[in-house]
Amino acid sequence: MRCLVVADLHYSLPQLDWLLSAAPNFDLVIFAGDALDVGSFVDFRAQIVVVKKYLELLSGITRVILCSGNHDLDERSPEGEKISRWISDVRELGVACDGDNLVIGDTLFTVCPWWDGPLVRQRIDDQLREAAQVRLKRWIWVHHAPPADSPTSWGGKRFFGDVELVQWIKNYQPSMVISGHVHQSPFIPDGSWFDRLGDTWAFNTGLQPGRPPVYIVLDIDDGRAFCATRALIECDAEASSFPPHDVTGQTRRISTDNQYEPLRYPRLVRYLKRSAGG
């Protein structure tokens, strides 16, 4: 199973167009939050309409997972906590979203909402506890904020990760946690697009402007991953059918039968050509 991971597109239409063009190459698209942009001059309601149309098109191409991020919160619950009401609506489009569990083969994906207060935090706690009862060979969480005190949440001066997520990881030891939120982590000293917490791999795509967006490719069955930026490929994987064959890098297996081997910081490979129509 080949997964395309993106996050923090923030209503970038060129990046959403690229995502549509890339989706046919993958069995699953994982969108780890912040599809919208609260700072955009485009009305928030209009952004929701447009992004939902992209999600409808994507779900007609391949399976799609979407979790909410802090930019996706469009309402307050009766208790006063910020929530993403519109994301729950995309379930009817065939998109697995906040609160869902999706089983593909021997992999269980758990999709977590952004939490703004104790009630939604408790919902996540309950969701993970229930999903743990039916976990499969691989258990992958999609959770917008990366774990606290991890290179994937390093902002340059301090960490911006989720302390509660660290405890949940300790409790359940999922195979992977896929996040976004901290845009600069993959590109700055002491930051990274991946980390290892016990038996759990954590990934953060980061954010760069322009087309294509930063993306991570996960080959779940073969245990390989790489992160691609517009200027570089940080490569721990074989760049085979996607991106195109002009992208090369050192091949490294990161898992064998779901037992993930420690990674060293990946080699940087210059990538000056456009990839996938970028």
Side-chain angles (χ1 to χ4, degrees):
M1 174 171 49
R2 288 171 60 80
C3 305
L4 175 61
V5 179
V6 296
D8 298 288
L9 300 193
H10 289 290
Y11 196 66
S12 169
L13 299 187
Q15 293 186 350
L16 288 165
D17 286 339
W18 178 90
L19 189 59
L20 281 177
S21 71
N25 296 279
F26 295 91
D27 304 300
L28 175 67
V29 169
I30 301 174
F31 198 148
D34 277 2
L36 307 182
D37 185 0
V38 296
S40 173
F41 66 88
V42 179
D43 185 87
F44 211 59
R45 293 164 296 181
Q47 291 186 50
I48 290 171
V49 170
V50 172
V51 168
K52 286 173 71 173
K53 185 60 180 179
Y54 275 102
L55 292 169
E56 180 181 5
L57 294 171
L58 275 173
S59 66
I61 297 170
T62 190
R63 295 184 180 94
V64 181
I65 289 175
L66 171 68
C67 77
S68 57
N70 52 307
H71 277 252
D72 298 318
L73 310 178
D74 59 332
E75 291 189 17
R76 288 190 178 271
S77 69
E79 297 79 15
E81 294 184 6
K82 292 181 180 180
I83 59 173
S84 180
R85 183 79 65 186
W86 72 272
I87 281 186
S88 63
D89 295 338
V90 305
R91 190 175 290 111
E92 66 188 27
L93 303 176
V95 175
C97 57
D98 290 354
D100 287 345
N101 289 301
L102 175 66
V103 175
I104 303 177
D106 58 4
T107 304
L108 172 65
F109 295 88
T110 296
V111 191
C112 303
W114 177 270
W115 65 271
D116 181 60
L119 295 179
V120 178
R121 183 181 61 203
Q122 185 60 49
R123 279 174 45 199
I124 298 174
D125 195 59
D126 295 342
Q127 177 186 10
L128 296 176
R129 185 175 60 254
E130 293 171 6
Q133 304 305 310
V134 295
R135 69 180 296 167
L136 301 176
K137 178 181 178 182
R138 300 180 183 91
W139 189 14
I140 298 176
W141 301 355
V142 185
H143 181 283
H144 182 60
D149 301 321
S150 162
T152 60
S153 64
W154 177 243
K157 294 184 178 180
R158 67 181 181 90
F159 294 99
F160 291 90
D162 189 329
V163 175
E164 297 292 332
L165 177 60
V166 174
Q167 188 59 53
W168 288 326
I169 291 172
K170 288 180 180 178
N171 290 345
Y172 297 111
Q173 289 293 291
S175 306
M176 300 181 194
V177 177
I178 297 173
S179 302
H181 187 53
V182 187
H183 298 170
Q184 62 269 46
S185 294
F187 317 113
I188 60 176
D190 300 319
S192 180
W193 62 277
F194 66 88
D195 192 18
R196 180 85 178 273
L197 292 83
D199 293 332
T200 301
W201 283 101
F203 295 103
N204 175 8
T205 62
L207 178 150
Q208 285 185 319
R211 170 183 168 135
V214 185
Y215 60 89
I216 294 172
V217 173
L218 299 174
D219 192 324
I220 301 298
D221 299 319
D222 202 29
R224 300 172 188 271
F226 70 85
C227 180
T229 74
R230 293 184 64 228
L232 304 170
I233 297 289
E234 289 184 318
C235 197
D236 283 288
E238 180 178 59
S240 54
S241 61
F242 187 89
H245 63 275
D246 59 356
V247 182
T248 59
Q250 180 180 354
T251 298
R252 182 180 296 166
R253 182 175 296 277
I254 65 170
S255 73
T256 55
D257 195 27
N258 204 37
Q259 297 301 309
Y260 287 81
E261 302 169 355
L263 279 172
R264 298 294 179 259
Y265 197 83
R267 175 183 154 201
L268 299 183
V269 180
R270 290 290 171 187
Y271 177 42
L272 302 178
K273 299 181 181 180
R274 299 173 15 156
S275 66

